[in-house]
Amino acid sequence: LPGVQKVLINVPTKFVYVDHVPSLTPAQGINDALNFNKFGSTLKHDGANDASGMKEQSHSGVSRFFVEKICCSAETPIIKSILEPMSGILNVSANVTNQTVCVEHIMDQISASDIAEALNNEGFGVTIKKDAGQHSAFLNSISTTSLVESRIYISNLLSKSDEENVNSLLSTVDVKEIRSFSVNKSSKIALVSHNPYLISVQRIVDVLGEGGLQSSVAFDGAADGKWALQGLEENSEDQIEHFETKVKWTVIVSGVCWLISMLSLIGGHWEHLKYVGLLSVVFGLPPILLKAYKSLRRCQFDVNCLMSFAVFGALALQEFTEAAAVTFLFSISENLESRATARARNALSAIVNLRPDRANLINPMTNDIVVVPAEAVAVGALVSVRTGDKIPCDGVVVEGKSAVDESSLTGESRPVKKGPDDKVSGGTLNIGETQLVVKTTATVDNSAVARLIRLVEEAQANSSPTEQLVDEFAKRYTPLVILAAISMCTIPWIWGKETGKIWVYNGLVTIVIACPCALIISTPITYVAGLAACAQRGVIVKGGAFLEALGMVKKVAFDKTGTLTEGKFALLHLNVIGRRWTREEVLEYMALIQARASHPIGAAIVQAAKNENVSISADKSVESHILLQGEGVSAVVNGKQFHIGNPRLFQRIGYYDDIPETSKALVSDWASIGGTVGFLGIEGEGIIASYCVADAVRKESKSVVGSLEKIGISVTMLTGDGNDAANAIGEQVGLTPEGIRSELFPKDKLDIVNGMIEEGLSEGSSFLFNLFNRRKLVLMCGDGVNDAPALAAANVGVAMGAGAALAMETSDVTLMDSDLNKLLYSIKMGKRVIRTIKENVAFSLISKAVVMGFTFAGKASLWAAIVTDVGAMLIVTLNGMKLLPSKKKVKNVDITPDGNHDGNLQMTAV
């Protein structure tokens, strides 16, 4: 395209970044070109708006609404038909089970209040639970108005170069965090204007300290907390909703009148009681009629219309008891369904409302505590977490020892002991007897609990192909049945008045049968219960589609490091080759280079140097530090080229063949017992040392692998380690040599997963297809280090919660505490979900077919039809809800593969 200068593509995140000349090819033109070639592109950001200094026009957000009067899934299309034509609406998703509607909208064009008003005009009883516009305004006010001035004393600010060092270090911080700064060399004071919401003065001191400047806080401009007062208003979004159902008095009166009218069936003098059925209709029908009127006004025909016509038809035939039965049972069905699903809604609501609302911020100068909104806590701030308080953000304990309840994130009710240098997660609870002082490492919006809430909210809004198929079937089923009912009410009159009356009655029965509520709710209620059950155990599944896919997994690929193993390496052996270098010198260079690497092996080497009191000389500088994926690291230290990595790296650069045979044999022995081996080499000198690090296998890995194979799932381990080390670990977890793939680059892992997918590919992907032929899906489980592309490519990507943040974003399932037993649980839950959906759909259709058969045989009645319809809806609802464990079971649940309680995996109700 003309004007396109550079294109960057990020496959895992599905983002394409284009450097272009807007006057030649605008962003929308690029978007149209991609969509013309069927790439399903959506324009997320137009750089031309930034270039012209204009506010971005497509600034959008997701607002969430509680819809009190949404009674069944049949009303979802009605809500969409109201909102989607409105200007500025980008996407609408509804979750009937928890009565929530999420709307993505352009906030400059339409507000959350406008959306709520549009729905309330149609009688849906909407309240705003999250206003994306207000949240965005709050965040914008944070970055523009909340600036304070702090002073930092720098004791070793002696020369012009030190002053330049200060300028260099502070210039690397985002301008949104530090607006301006000045340095006074004579007083050794740096005056910094910064945003305390985003960065604390203590964090600025840490930045200077990392550059070798001995700094301390002279004055904290954020100490009084006045900058945070604007955010202290109570936020209704943070209040836990507890769903309760109440039956209106009119419905109760309608039911009593119907029961009285039923006495007319005795005959004789009791027959006159049938007229009491008219009172039942008078009290129960008006709300149904109102909804039917609004639907017809929108040129739509819904279940309320069906029931209204059935009631009026029964009245016309003077079947007053039948009319009362239809009125009351349909009126009470909404309350019965709501009561049946309340547990699932309450469970999901409690998870979504884990977000901390307050934080006790500590003034580092005076140690005074200022209560601020959790959103106001910057990275690097100190917060006090007293007994019973929620930890506001992810961080590290700097003072105090206590017990923390992490069940909100992991599902484990066993308290976890926390002390200095231990990591803690936002949203967890201090349940010990001691205050904890925590230094934050993330803002509340980037904390673990925020990610969990975001994933749960997305999961509720995502509908699966099966759910869409069932909805599509219901859309076609209902008009066909109505057409049959109309035919039954009209054509038989040709054969006489009595015949006509009989078939009109049968037609009214058929209209009741046409109600698709049981069929439509059969799928989403199962998903909601399954998602809530998984979330209560610390397993976050991004929607019903992936929950269903878990049940069709036939192949599982595990990354080794951090997945089957704990990912906590320790240096076991270090062998210096030759006499020129000492052990201390080798460790110094290895620690210096590996300190900048992200792999756990690098952390193990750095820790080993600390354990042996090896310090790094100040005169050593590192340049050209390069991460060699699947091989190791290379860097230039004081002009010399160093290499650290596995044997494959040194075979490629030609160093490996020159080392003594005794060293090769030693390395081979290390690898044979499961150690990960590597070398340190210098250009011009060759390999000067070999080392071995070891990683412990997770205690549950072997039992999980065995359980997966028992249920017919093949397991493969993918690793970049050499053959000997890979086989040793594979043997420990119970894998055969065929299930071990070693010496892999990240691209090799991706290719293997793609190959597995192609092998298991079969025609068809719909639910009806799966009723008879199970697709063979591939699951990839990893921690996100070197395996994010494979996670994204697999049919189901599972990320370990302790792994990389990218893995959690690209994966479909997240294990919040990296317990592989929970992977096995989620797969079994997926199988239960599929089985339950089949049961629900089959029961819904069979119950309709049975009543239809009785209708054509002349044996059906209106009250029996409505009882069957309401009963079927309740049965499929309760059948789906069986996936959600009772509170008693959640408190003491066992998810170990063999079913034996191990004492370490007790769960608590959220």
Side-chain angles (χ1 to χ4, degrees):
L1 296 174
V4 173
Q5 300 174 348
K6 187 178 182 181
V7 179
L8 297 174
I9 303 173
N10 188 323
V11 175
T13 61
K14 301 185 180 182
F15 272 89
V16 176
Y17 303 88
V18 182
D19 187 2
H20 63 107
V21 180
S23 59
L24 297 177
T25 299
Q28 190 58 50
I30 298 171
N31 190 61
D32 293 342
L34 290 171
N35 285 325
F36 181 78
N37 288 279
K38 312 297 184 185
F39 277 102
S41 171
T42 302
L43 179 61
K44 303 301 290 184
H45 178 77
D46 187 348
N49 291 337
D50 295 337
S52 62
M54 295 171 57
K55 184 177 179 181
E56 187 177 349
Q57 295 297 312
S58 58
H59 186 43
S60 64
V62 178
S63 295
R64 192 169 73 250
F65 305 86
F66 176 71
V67 185
E68 181 183 0
K69 297 183 179 178
I70 183 172
C71 64
C72 70
S73 296
E75 293 185 340
T76 299
I78 298 174
I79 290 174
K80 289 187 175 183
S81 69
I82 295 171
L83 297 181
E84 288 178 345
M86 298 174 70
S87 176
I89 299 293
L90 302 177
N91 185 43
V92 179
S93 59
N95 189 307
V96 177
T97 308
N98 59 10
Q99 296 175 277
T100 299
V101 173
C102 294
V103 182
E104 183 181 2
H105 58 107
I106 300 174
M107 294 175 286
D108 295 337
Q109 295 185 26
I110 186 169
S111 66
S113 300
D114 296 333
I115 297 169
E117 184 180 356
L119 292 174
N120 283 327
N121 288 340
E122 299 296 333
F124 278 102
V126 173
T127 54
I128 302 173
K129 302 309 296 179
K130 177 185 176 182
D131 186 337
Q134 287 185 0
H135 184 64
S136 176
F138 175 72
L139 294 180
N140 288 336
S141 68
I142 286 174
S143 61
T144 57
T145 64
S146 300
L147 293 174
V148 297
E149 283 193 343
S150 298
R151 294 193 296 273
I152 299 173
Y153 177 73
I154 307 172
S155 61
N156 59 344
L157 183 61
L158 303 173
S159 62
K160 183 68 175 177
S161 61
D162 292 332
E163 186 177 345
E164 291 174 354
N165 191 18
V166 173
N167 292 332
S168 175
L169 289 168
L170 296 184
S171 295
T172 61
V173 181
D174 195 304
V175 69
K176 292 180 181 178
E177 299 175 359
I178 295 181
R179 180 62 58 86
S180 62
F181 58 88
S182 60
V183 181
N184 189 321
K185 190 173 64 174
S186 60
S187 63
K188 299 184 179 181
I189 290 291
L191 183 64
V192 183
S193 175
H194 63 105
N195 186 333
Y197 277 106
L198 304 179
I199 188 168
S200 66
V201 67
Q202 188 58 49
R203 175 57 185 158
I204 298 172
V205 167
D206 292 342
V207 170
L208 295 174
E210 291 167 4
L213 296 167
Q214 299 172 7
S215 309
S216 60
V217 178
F219 172 74
D220 184 359
D224 58 10
K226 292 180 179 179
W227 47 275
L229 293 178
Q230 59 180 319
L232 284 173
E233 293 84 3
E234 190 70 22
N235 186 358
S236 62
E237 184 190 351
D238 294 330
Q239 304 302 311
I240 294 181
E241 299 174 46
H242 185 76
F243 294 91
E244 296 180 351
T245 54
K246 294 181 180 179
V247 181
K248 293 181 179 179
W249 68 271
T250 53
V251 176
I252 295 174
V253 172
S254 176
V256 171
C257 293
W258 169 58
L259 291 175
I260 294 173
S261 70
M262 289 282 286
L263 297 175
S264 64
L265 299 177
I266 298 174
H269 296 295
W270 298 86
E271 188 173 349
H272 296 292
L273 290 177
K274 70 178 182 180
Y275 293 104
V276 180
L278 290 172
L279 289 176
S280 176
V281 174
V282 169
F283 281 104
L285 189 61
I288 301 173
L289 275 178
L290 182 61
K291 290 182 179 180
Y293 166 73
K294 291 180 178 179
S295 296
L296 292 173
R297 195 178 65 182
R298 294 189 296 265
C299 299
Q300 292 175 331
F301 199 84
D302 65 2
V303 64
N304 296 289
C305 300
L306 290 176
M307 295 304 156
S308 298
F309 288 141
V311 170
F312 283 122
L315 293 175
L317 294 174
Q318 296 189 357
E319 297 287 350
F320 303 131
T321 301
E322 305 276 3
V326 174
T327 301
F328 169 69
L329 290 174
F330 182 70
S331 298
I332 198 70
S333 66
E334 178 182 340
N335 297 89
L336 294 175
E337 178 194 346
S338 182
R339 184 177 293 274
T341 59
R343 276 182 53 231
R345 292 199 305 275
N346 290 334
L348 289 173
S349 178
I351 293 169
V352 171
N353 285 287
L354 289 172
R355 184 184 293 106
D357 55 354
R358 297 286 185 270
N360 299 320
L361 196 62
I362 298 176
N363 179 354
M365 295 296 296
T366 65
N367 287 329
D368 291 337
I369 290 178
V370 180
V371 179
V372 299
E375 292 91 343
V377 179
V379 175
L382 292 177
V383 293
S384 167
V385 185
R386 297 165 299 188
T387 298
D389 284 350
K390 282 182 183 178
I391 297 172
C393 312
D394 294 355
V396 177
V397 177
V398 296
E399 182 184 318
K401 292 182 180 180
S402 190
V404 174
D405 179 6
E406 297 182 336
S407 60
S408 58
L409 292 178
T410 67
E412 292 197 32
S413 62
R414 180 170 53 90
V416 180
K417 292 181 180 179
K418 297 291 184 181
D421 298 328
D422 288 337
K423 293 181 180 179
V424 291
S425 298
T428 57
L429 196 66
N430 180 8
I431 59 173
E433 298 179 355
T434 309
Q435 169 190 267
L436 292 176
V437 177
V438 176
K439 186 174 184 178
T440 61
T441 57
T443 61
V444 69
D445 287 334
N446 293 320
S447 63
V449 69
R451 291 197 301 269
L452 183 148
I453 292 169
R454 195 158 53 241
L455 294 177
V456 170
E457 286 180 336
E458 290 173 359
Q460 293 180 64
N462 292 337
S463 60
S464 74
T466 299
E467 187 175 349
Q468 294 168 6
L469 180 70
V470 170
D471 288 346
E472 197 64 30
F473 175 79
K475 287 179 184 177
R476 285 160 173 70
Y477 156 83
T478 301
L480 286 175
V481 176
I482 291 174
L483 181 61
I486 293 174
S487 301
M488 293 164 71
C489 291
T490 53
I491 297 175
W493 288 91
I494 298 173
W495 289 278
K497 184 176 180 181
E498 290 301 317
T499 302
K501 284 185 176 180
I502 292 172
W503 281 99
V504 165
Y505 186 83
N506 289 340
L508 296 177
V509 173
T510 305
I511 286 177
V512 174
I513 295 172
C515 175
C517 286
L519 181 63
I520 291 176
I521 202 173
S522 63
T523 306
I525 187 61
T526 305
Y527 287 145
V528 168
L531 292 171
C534 287
Q536 285 182 338
R537 288 166 174 77
V539 180
I540 306 302
V541 185
K542 291 184 180 178
F546 299 113
L547 193 58
E548 184 181 317
L550 281 167
M552 293 186 280
V553 166
K554 287 297 180 183
K555 296 180 180 181
V556 173
F558 283 108
D559 180 45
K560 180 186 79 70
T561 304
T563 305
L564 290 174
T565 64
E566 293 182 355
K568 299 176 182 177
F569 285 91
L571 182 66
L572 295 186
H573 304 287
L574 176 61
N575 177 45
V576 179
I577 300 173
R579 298 182 177 180
R580 180 175 176 183
W581 298 88
T582 65
R583 179 183 178 89
E584 289 73 17
E585 289 174 327
V586 168
L587 262 181
E588 180 182 0
Y589 280 107
M590 290 174 64
L592 177 65
I593 298 169
Q594 291 283 25
R596 301 189 182 190
S598 59
H599 198 280
I601 291 177
I605 291 173
V606 172
Q607 186 60 46
K610 291 180 180 178
N611 293 342
E612 298 189 23
N613 296 318
V614 174
S615 59
I616 299 173
S617 302
D619 60 348
K620 290 183 174 65
S621 61
V622 179
E623 298 174 348
S624 303
H625 188 279
I626 300 173
L627 176 64
L628 307 172
Q629 285 202 344
E631 292 183 332
V633 179
S634 71
V636 176
V637 180
N638 290 357
K640 285 187 177 183
Q641 181 73 51
F642 282 76
H643 302 278
I644 301 178
N646 56 32
R648 184 167 48 203
L649 167 62
F650 291 92
Q651 287 169 353
R652 178 174 63 83
I653 62 179
Y655 289 9
Y656 186 77
D657 294 336
D658 296 333
I659 64 173
E661 291 299 323
T662 53
S663 296
K664 291 181 181 179
L666 183 62
V667 168
S668 179
D669 290 341
W670 292 342
S672 65
I673 60 172
T676 299
V677 298
F679 302 95
L680 171 65
I682 305 176
E683 188 174 355
E685 296 187 35
I687 294 176
I688 65 169
S690 60
Y691 62 87
C692 170
V693 294
D695 183 16
V697 173
R698 292 184 187 275
K699 62 181 180 180
E700 73 272 14
S701 292
K702 185 172 183 178
S703 60
V704 169
V705 169
S707 297
L708 289 173
E709 291 178 339
K710 282 181 182 178
I711 59 177
I713 296 175
S714 65
V715 180
T716 303
M717 182 182 77
L718 310 179
T719 178
D721 284 357
N723 291 326
D724 292 339
N727 288 331
I729 296 296
E731 185 177 347
Q732 291 182 52
V733 300
L735 289 173
T736 61
E738 293 76 21
I740 302 170
R741 306 294 294 273
S742 57
E743 298 186 351
L744 302 176
F745 290 100
K747 185 181 182 303
D748 297 329
K749 296 179 183 180
L750 176 61
D751 292 339
I752 289 172
V753 169
N754 284 331
M756 290 179 175
I757 293 172
E758 290 177 6
E759 288 175 11
L761 205 59
S762 59
E763 295 182 2
S765 59
S766 70
F767 175 67
L768 293 179
F769 178 86
N770 291 323
L771 284 173
F772 306 101
N773 296 280
R774 300 292 299 277
R775 295 174 64 206
K776 297 180 179 180
L777 301 186
V778 177
L779 180 149
M780 173 70 192
C781 183
D783 64 350
V785 180
N786 293 334
D787 55 24
L791 282 173
N795 298 120
V796 183
V798 179
M800 309 294 277
L806 175 61
M808 296 182 68
E809 295 300 324
T810 59
S811 66
D812 310 311
V813 181
T814 300
L815 310 182
M816 295 303 292
D817 65 345
S818 301
D819 185 349
L820 288 178
N821 283 318
K822 294 179 181 179
L823 172 64
L824 181 63
Y825 170 82
S826 62
I827 290 175
K828 290 183 176 179
M829 176 58 72
K831 292 181 181 295
R832 291 183 64 196
V833 164
I834 291 176
R835 183 169 64 249
T836 303
I837 289 175
K838 288 180 180 180
E839 293 168 354
N840 284 349
V841 172
F843 181 79
S844 300
L845 294 177
I846 290 172
S847 63
K848 300 285 186 186
V850 168
V851 176
M852 185 66 78
F854 277 107
T855 300
F856 282 104
K859 303 293 185 182
S861 63
L862 269 176
W863 70 266
I866 188 65
V867 166
T868 301
D869 182 72
V870 174
M873 182 180 65
L874 289 177
I875 288 173
V876 299
T877 299
L878 294 173
N879 190 44
M881 288 295 296
K882 73 184 181 185
L883 300 177
L884 192 66
S886 66
K887 291 182 179 179
K888 187 178 294 184
K889 288 183 178 179
V890 174
K891 287 180 180 177
N892 195 16
V893 72
D894 174 28
I895 57 171
T896 52
D898 58 3
N900 296 321
H901 181 60
D902 67 357
N904 292 322
L905 290 170
Q906 293 182 340
M907 303 300 160
T908 184
V910 179

